[in-house]
Amino acid sequence: MTKIQNQKLTNIVILRNVLIVLLVLYHAFAPYSGSWIRIDGFPEIKAYWWLDRLSYAFLLELFVFISGYVFGYQVRIKGENKLEAKNLFLNKFKRLIIPSVVFSFFYILLYKNINQSFNKTCYDLLNGVAHMWFLPMLFWCFVAIWIIERLHLKPRFVITILVFAALVSFLPLPLRIGSSMYYMLFFYVGYILQKDNISLERFYTRGYVIAFVISFCVLFYLLTLLKERIDVTIIMGGNQLVIKAIVASIKKTIQLVYSSVGIVMMLSLVGYFEKNHFVPKWMEKTAILSFGVYLFQQFILWGLYYHSSLPVLVGAYWLPVVGFICALFGSLLLSVAFRITKIGRFLIG
């Protein structure tokens, strides 16, 4: 299905490199899209708004997809013992929840209100502070896979249920369970593709690549405009609970559509690249650092943007460029440094 070098899925090696670039790019431009607090005195730059939305279009969905994809590969290659509750939950607790709690604690110390109540702090630590929210959400995806496999549910039935769950994932459920309801669909599809060894090679051609790229670009542009129009409509239309629920569900549908096409596009692009090239060694090394980059990059960017004089020094147009470079290379260096120590390797892999 895909070439393997030293028991590594080479398409995942490439995708992890793409994802860490997109992640840092998204956060570097986040103040310009409304995802982060706008920096005082900075103008609205529409090109930066679009760039930020584009970098986020399928970012987290693809992160979750490859997590399921790799896990499905492990189950297929190493056997059903990978699904044993004790091994699975303990391993993922150490891999996801402990780093989330540790890095959330330091994020609170650096950037949040350290005088908040003890109960609030404990809940925040379990919930994941700032970008650490993603880790407990991903933990629930592994729990859901375990439940699905224990019940021996058919994939078509599961996918139908997960599509519905994604559309109602705006519900305010605790401990990131609501978020996992949206992302679980992508996790499960990736898992099934590898576990059942479903080949996608027929899509690794120039024609499919061009078709998927065009489809994604058109859908992303049109559906993003539609999403913005819906936001304006709900603001003008009032705050009725039913209307809010319908609008939230429509926005989830829009997000599902263009992010799904984005994932297919990336799989096709990477598959086409693999047919004609070998993965460089440096990509394998940086892919190993991807989890560390994920954890460190927002610490760097938030500090530079809101706790330093960098915005004043470089100005509105150069700030995201400088921020991107500092965060990408800074988080790579920190990841390398952390992996030298035993505790660091435990936390970031």
Side-chain angles (χ1 to χ4, degrees), residues 13 280-290:
V13 170
K281 288 294 182 182
W282 66 264
M283 274 196 174
E284 293 187 16
K285 294 177 180 178
T286 51
I288 293 171
L289 303 174
S290 60

Side-chain angles (χ1 to χ4, degrees), residues 24 293 297 300-301 304 322-332:
V24 179
V293 173
Q297 46 81 36
I300 296 171
L301 282 168
L304 290 175
V322 175
F324 171 78
I325 294 171
C326 291
L328 180 60
F329 289 100
S331 55
L332 284 169

Side-chain angles (χ1 to χ4, degrees), residues 65-137:
F65 174 88
I66 66 174
S67 295
Y69 192 86
V70 171
F71 187 59
Y73 171 77
Q74 292 171 342
V75 171
R76 178 165 61 86
I77 297 300
K78 299 181 181 180
E80 295 295 325
N81 64 313
K82 292 293 295 184
L83 286 165
E84 290 180 4
K86 182 180 178 180
N87 293 333
L88 177 62
F89 298 153
L90 182 60
N91 181 32
K92 298 309 172 185
F93 185 86
K94 291 191 295 185
R95 176 65 174 161
L96 298 171
I97 302 303
I98 292 178
S100 175
V101 171
V102 170
F103 282 88
S104 292
F105 175 75
F106 284 107
Y107 202 92
I108 291 172
L109 287 181
L110 287 171
Y111 301 132
K112 296 291 185 179
N113 179 16
I114 60 174
N115 296 317
Q116 65 186 18
S117 70
F118 177 76
N119 289 340
K120 175 69 164 58
T121 300
C122 289
Y123 182 75
D124 286 347
L125 291 176
L126 290 175
N127 223 26
V129 176
H131 59 299
M132 269 66 72
W133 71 268
F134 187 80
L135 303 181
M137 181 282 296

Side-chain angles (χ1 to χ4, degrees), residues 49 53 223-233:
W49 184 92
R53 292 299 175 94
L223 292 179
T224 299
L225 292 178
L226 176 60
K227 203 173 180 181
E228 291 302 302
R229 178 64 61 89
I230 290 173
D231 281 335
V232 172
T233 302

Side-chain angles (χ1 to χ4, degrees), residues 331-345:
S331 55
L332 284 169
L333 289 173
L334 283 171
S335 298
V336 171
F338 254 62
R339 285 175 60 84
I340 295 173
T341 68
K342 186 175 181 180
I343 294 176
R345 286 194 301 273

